[in-house]
Amino acid sequence: MQPTIGERIRELREENGWSQEHLAKLLNMTSKGTICNYEKDWNCPPGKMIEKMAIVFDVTVDYLIGISDLRERYVQFMKGRQMPVFKTCDTDALINKEYSKIETYMEIPDCVNIRRGDFFGIVIDDNSIDKYHINKNDIVVIERQQIPDVGSLCAVMIKNKLMVRRFYQEDDTITLVPESFDETYKSIKYKKDDVKVLGVVTKAVINIPDIA
């Protein structure tokens, strides 16, 4: 008998040593009661919340909803295929693909949705997305694309400043939302023409020792 999504949520929360209140905070919920209802299978999380939980727990959606025992979103690395990794200050090099100015190379995670396409890495220079356990000097893997889904975690360029933010667009306005416990990072609205989307975050590679 396959586990329910509520059982998986409780299993992963306890495995991480988190209280229901802490998990609710990670997911931007106002009350731990919603988590309690999910874990008891009294309510089922909506699709977007399931995707967000999968990111927070760093597991596949299929594992979270109980139809697969494959936990890891990225199981191994592709030998021989590497991607460039840039620092956030190297904006011109990143946009123009000036690979002579890259910080380093690293192997690309091997999974179904990352075997094709144009990928690069960014060394994060602050803690603006630490709710996803991505901190300063960690690397995020970016797939180049210009039209992200609403709510995607994206690499964007604002006046030659590169940042990773959650992306929301409404008509000609784009709102960029940090995902941080530090409330000094604020959501900001921009005109559509002032924002250049470079790509969407597909994976975080935490604690790389030889990149500072």
Side-chain angles (χ1 to χ4, degrees):
M1 182 177 177
Q2 69 185 37
T4 67
I5 186 171
E7 290 171 338
R8 280 279 161 87
I9 292 171
R10 184 180 66 255
E11 164 200 323
L12 291 165
R13 176 180 61 78
E14 292 178 347
E15 185 179 295
N16 282 278
W18 298 339
S19 65
Q20 290 180 342
E21 184 176 12
H22 181 71
L23 179 56
K25 188 174 181 180
L26 287 174
L27 296 168
N28 291 328
M29 294 178 177
T30 57
S31 170
K32 70 175 183 179
T34 302
I35 299 296
C36 181
N37 290 341
Y38 289 161
E39 291 187 355
K40 292 182 178 180
D41 290 306
W42 290 347
N43 290 324
C44 182
K48 288 294 184 181
M49 180 55 66
I50 291 174
E51 293 176 3
K52 194 169 185 179
M53 283 185 172
I55 294 173
V56 167
F57 288 129
D58 196 22
V59 297
T60 63
V61 169
D62 285 353
Y63 182 86
L64 183 60
I65 64 179
I67 65 174
S68 171
D69 290 327
L70 179 63
R71 293 170 58 113
E72 298 295 330
R73 290 188 291 161
Y74 304 98
V75 178
Q76 59 183 339
F77 285 83
M78 298 177 68
K79 298 298 182 183
R81 183 179 178 192
Q82 295 186 322
M83 68 177 185
V85 177
F86 299 87
K87 285 189 174 181
T88 52
C89 58
D90 297 329
T91 54
D92 289 339
L94 199 161
I95 291 174
N96 299 319
K97 299 184 181 181
E98 296 177 9
Y99 293 157
S100 62
K101 298 181 180 180
I102 65 170
E103 178 68 14
T104 187
Y105 280 93
M106 65 178 293
E107 291 176 342
I108 300 177
D110 182 13
C111 68
V112 172
N113 69 334
I114 206 168
R115 288 175 182 156
R116 297 182 177 86
D118 186 358
F119 296 89
F120 62 92
I122 296 176
V123 182
I124 299 298
D125 66 353
D126 59 23
N127 292 312
S128 60
I129 50 174
D130 60 5
K131 281 188 178 181
Y132 291 104
H133 313 293
I134 302 172
N135 299 292
K136 185 175 181 179
N137 293 331
D138 290 335
I139 293 174
V140 290
V141 180
I142 307 294
E143 179 181 6
R144 289 185 187 269
Q145 54 180 276
Q146 296 179 340
I147 307 177
D149 293 334
V150 173
S152 296
L153 197 61
C154 297
V156 297
M157 190 81 72
I158 306 292
K159 297 180 179 178
N160 293 324
K161 178 176 175 55
L162 176 63
M163 64 182 73
V164 175
R165 294 288 189 273
R166 197 155 298 281
F167 175 95
Y168 296 92
Q169 181 173 345
E170 184 176 353
D171 298 326
D172 293 328
T173 301
I174 290 175
T175 303
L176 299 178
V177 181
E179 294 285 355
S180 177
F181 294 114
D182 184 346
E183 296 183 356
T184 61
Y185 295 104
K186 303 294 186 181
S187 300
I188 302 178
K189 290 186 177 181
Y190 296 91
K191 294 180 180 178
K192 179 181 177 182
D193 293 342
D194 293 336
V195 179
K196 179 178 179 60
V197 178
L198 300 179
V200 176
V201 174
T202 63
K203 178 63 178 175
V205 184
I206 309 299
N207 298 327
I208 303 299
D210 56 346
I211 299 177

